[in-house]
Amino acid sequence: SVRSALEASTASSQTATQSFLDEAASVVASQVSLDRLSYLMSAATYTWNYVNCSHTPFNCSSLNRRPCFLTAHTCGPCLAGYVGREGDANSFCSYASVHRALRDQAEHHRRRLEAQNASASCPANCSGRGVCEFFAVGTNSPVTSCGVTDDSCYSACRCPTGFRLSPSCAEADEVVAAKAQTRESLLELADVAYRLQPLTSQSISSLVASLAEVSQRAQQISSASARKQLQMVAMLLNDTQSLGDGGEVLSQ
């Protein structure tokens, strides 16, 4: 079942990441092999950032959205030249151009989808645990229905107690909390690895990449992690100025 597969995947990820962290701690203690530490960090962040897109309910291109990438079972942002619900969603994006021919084509596409009676859906159908509900954009007030082409509303899972930190009800709250703690550990490892290296443009770029990877899942970022990231960004800005790069490294 979908639920069993999700639970098995989560358990496997936890075991693998703990193994990475244990070895990384040993590397840090010995203060050797920066290459090995960098590899362990990359492997751990890849494991936690993996997204299950197997149950994305629509062909994302038919919604004029990018493929599923950052949010489980959910299409990515609108394609360039299209507008719609901001960020990842399984809702329709319309042409942004004011050219009549493009508007007509978008309207034709919209009507075709409406003819299929497509309704907005929730990620993985809330993993068989929660209830998919609809809300008005702006007010967040409950509404009775929401079509996939309707940008005035959105869908979201109402998860049971113990699963409310997961957008799709796929993971228990303690699992999400454990992942948040893991990301805190990864931030500390990134900081240590950075401080053990000579200050160069490459070391700054590597830390920027690590921060981007560690911060990909907003629901897994604790307040402590957020504060740590701000401190590290401030450090990067100071170090970039020290190198005289004028922020060019960070802009890359």
Side-chain angles (χ1 to χ4, degrees), residues 64 82 92-95 100-111:
N64 299 322
Y82 294 84
F92 188 75
C93 295
S94 302
Y95 279 106
R100 182 173 179 79
L102 296 181
R103 292 206 312 268
D104 290 346
Q105 185 177 352
E107 182 63 19
H108 173 75
H109 201 171
R110 179 188 294 271
R111 289 176 179 175

Side-chain angles (χ1 to χ4, degrees), residues 22-243:
D22 289 344
E23 184 175 349
S26 176
V27 171
V28 171
S30 60
Q31 295 189 5
V32 296
S33 186
L34 291 175
D35 288 341
R36 182 60 180 167
L37 180 56
S38 296
Y39 163 76
L40 290 169
M41 287 178 53
S42 295
T45 52
Y46 174 83
T47 300
W48 275 144
N49 288 336
Y50 170 76
V51 171
N52 186 349
C53 293
S54 60
H55 295 283
T56 303
F58 300 99
N59 180 344
C60 296
S61 62
S62 70
L63 299 179
N64 299 322
R65 286 185 172 274
R66 296 176 185 174
C68 172
F69 176 65
L70 288 178
T71 305
H73 316 295
T74 307
C75 295
C78 293
L79 296 172
Y82 294 84
V83 294
R85 184 183 172 192
E86 186 177 352
D88 297 346
N90 289 326
S91 58
F92 188 75
C93 295
S94 302
Y95 279 106
S97 173
V98 297
H99 192 279
R100 182 173 179 79
L102 296 181
R103 292 206 312 268
D104 290 346
Q105 185 177 352
E107 182 63 19
H108 173 75
H109 201 171
R110 179 188 294 271
R111 289 176 179 175
R112 180 174 64 83
L113 286 175
E114 287 178 339
Q116 298 172 350
N117 294 319
S119 177
S121 63
C122 287
N125 196 27
C126 301
S127 306
R129 291 192 178 94
V131 177
C132 188
E133 298 182 336
F134 307 118
F135 303 88
V137 172
T139 64
N140 297 321
S141 302
V143 295
T144 56
S145 62
C146 182
V148 67
T149 62
D150 190 347
D151 57 9
S152 68
C153 57
Y154 66 94
S155 59
C157 292
R158 177 165 57 84
C159 301
T161 301
F163 291 86
R164 291 177 178 170
L165 295 180
S166 172
S168 63
C169 313
E171 298 175 318
D173 290 347
E174 59 264 27
V175 173
V176 177
K179 288 186 175 183
Q181 181 60 52
T182 297
R183 290 184 185 274
E184 287 187 36
S185 299
L186 291 173
L187 279 174
E188 293 295 338
L189 288 175
D191 193 14
V192 169
Y194 178 74
R195 295 175 187 277
L196 289 176
Q197 301 177 68
L199 179 58
T200 64
S201 295
Q202 183 176 355
S203 67
I204 291 176
S205 296
S206 295
L207 183 55
V208 170
S210 295
L211 288 176
E213 291 176 351
V214 172
S215 61
Q216 279 190 17
R217 301 284 175 270
Q219 68 271 21
Q220 295 175 15
I221 302 298
S222 66
S223 56
S225 290
R227 288 193 297 270
K228 180 66 175 179
Q229 289 181 53
L230 290 175
Q231 293 169 1
M232 294 173 74
V233 168
M235 175 183 66
L236 285 169
L237 289 171
N238 288 331
D239 289 349
T240 300
Q241 292 297 324
S242 298
L243 281 180

